[in-house]
Amino acid sequence: MALRMAYDAAHGGRWTSLHGGGREWLWRGPEPGRHEVRPDDAFVDAGGLEECLPTVRGEPDHGEVWSRPWRSAAPGTVVIERPTFTLTRRITDSGGVVVADYRLAADPGYRFVWAAHALLDLSPAARLDAPTGTPTRLHPEAAALLPPGSWPTGDPWLTGPWPAPAGLTLAGLTLDMFGPDDGTALGAVLLDCARVQVLDGPDRLTLELECAGQPRSTALWRNLGGWPANRPYRSVGIEPMLGAAFDLADAGPDDAAVVPASGEVAWRLTISAHRIH
């Protein structure tokens, strides 16, 4: 199944399409106004794939780069320059496989979290295939879904094995399953998990992250009509990540990517799809 993608450099470098085999993989959100966003505005959830750097949650929400224009440097290559870093992204889709190569230049010791915040258009029968037992961090919104007293006081997350960390199931489903809307929303991070596959009927979408010497994870945003409180809707995010925490402010010594003495970090995201007949 050959994949093709499109992006919008003028509006945060956002991926607007990931299409192949007669289906669009990227979900489009209900929020208007994405094109009118200015730096420091509140996040506008328009769907697609947002580039999040140097944090996902926290300040600024979804990072600095989603709300700013990127400049074109060559065919398929865009650059964004900020006071503390420069990020270059080059995307190719030769052979039907989408490959995104990133290079971040910053002072040695600069700490950051990056995520490809991909919201996918999936059916209730879809599921996320990751190695059973992968250590998985539940984030605080999951506390209300656990028995009273289960959450460690003052801790930013609770860690347990995938696909049911802390024994958590929702409407009888483990976290790898995206069933009918149940009014819940939670975030999780699968640690040291650089490759996952999304299964939806006969279709398979594989996301793999390569980066030497940096922590690699896969983040999950599992919103089955539980967010936002005033106008909830369904959205499922599968997010290859450098780092191991949504919020850079929560990241311990081993939970963020760190720029080495060379002043650069390079990584590659590869996305492929196939259909089982």
Side-chain angles (χ1 to χ4, degrees), residues 144-206:
L145 306 173
L146 295 170
S150 299
W151 198 269
T153 302
D155 285 3
W157 47 66
L158 176 64
T159 305
W162 178 262
L168 179 62
T169 60
L170 301 171
L173 303 178
T174 48
L175 298 193
D176 58 329
M177 304 172 73
F178 308 120
D181 290 0
D182 59 11
T184 65
L186 62 83
V189 177
L190 287 74
L191 304 181
D192 194 26
C193 182
R195 182 183 185 276
V196 296
Q197 190 171 80
V198 178
L199 291 70
D200 193 7
D203 295 333
R204 308 288 185 265
L205 186 74
T206 303

Side-chain angles (χ1 to χ4, degrees), residues 2-230:
L3 285 178
R4 294 290 182 267
M5 66 84 63
Y7 63 85
D8 185 353
H11 300 97
R14 173 173 166 260
W15 301 35
T16 56
S17 178
L18 186 63
H19 186 272
R23 71 176 288 169
E24 172 60 54
W25 283 98
L26 294 181
W27 173 85
R28 293 179 174 86
E31 295 293 339
R34 179 66 178 82
H35 286 185
E36 286 72 48
V37 165
R38 297 293 179 267
D40 302 320
D41 284 355
F43 181 66
V44 175
D45 193 5
L49 186 157
E50 301 279 10
E51 302 281 358
C52 297
L53 180 83
T55 191
V56 182
R57 299 184 182 180
E59 296 294 334
D61 187 19
H62 286 74
E64 296 183 22
V65 302
W66 74 272
S67 59
R68 290 177 164 85
W70 301 40
R71 64 176 175 84
S72 294
T77 301
V78 289
V79 179
I80 183 165
E81 296 160 332
R82 301 295 302 134
T84 55
F85 64 83
T86 297
L87 179 66
T88 302
R89 184 189 74 194
R90 177 175 180 266
I91 298 180
T92 61
D93 56 13
S94 61
V97 176
V98 173
V99 178
D101 285 303
Y102 297 81
R103 187 171 299 274
L104 181 136
D107 290 340
Y110 180 77
R111 302 176 80 243
F112 66 95
V113 172
W114 165 85
H117 179 69
L119 294 176
L120 302 182
D121 187 6
L122 303 175
S123 77
R127 66 181 183 89
L128 178 62
D129 185 25
T132 300
T134 296
T136 302
R137 288 176 172 172
L138 292 173
H139 283 252
E141 62 272 12
L145 306 173
L146 295 170
S150 299
W151 198 269
T153 302
D155 285 3
W157 47 66
L158 176 64
T159 305
W162 178 262
L168 179 62
T169 60
L170 301 171
L173 303 178
T174 48
L175 298 193
D176 58 329
M177 304 172 73
F178 308 120
D181 290 0
D182 59 11
T184 65
L186 62 83
V189 177
L190 287 74
L191 304 181
D192 194 26
C193 182
R195 182 183 185 276
V196 296
Q197 190 171 80
V198 178
L199 291 70
D200 193 7
D203 295 333
R204 308 288 185 265
L205 186 74
T206 303
L207 303 96
E208 183 168 5
L209 180 61
E210 301 170 72
C211 185
Q214 303 290 348
R216 298 172 299 163
S217 305
T218 299
L220 167 66
W221 171 238
R222 187 181 186 274
N223 173 30
L224 306 186
W227 183 91
N230 58 334

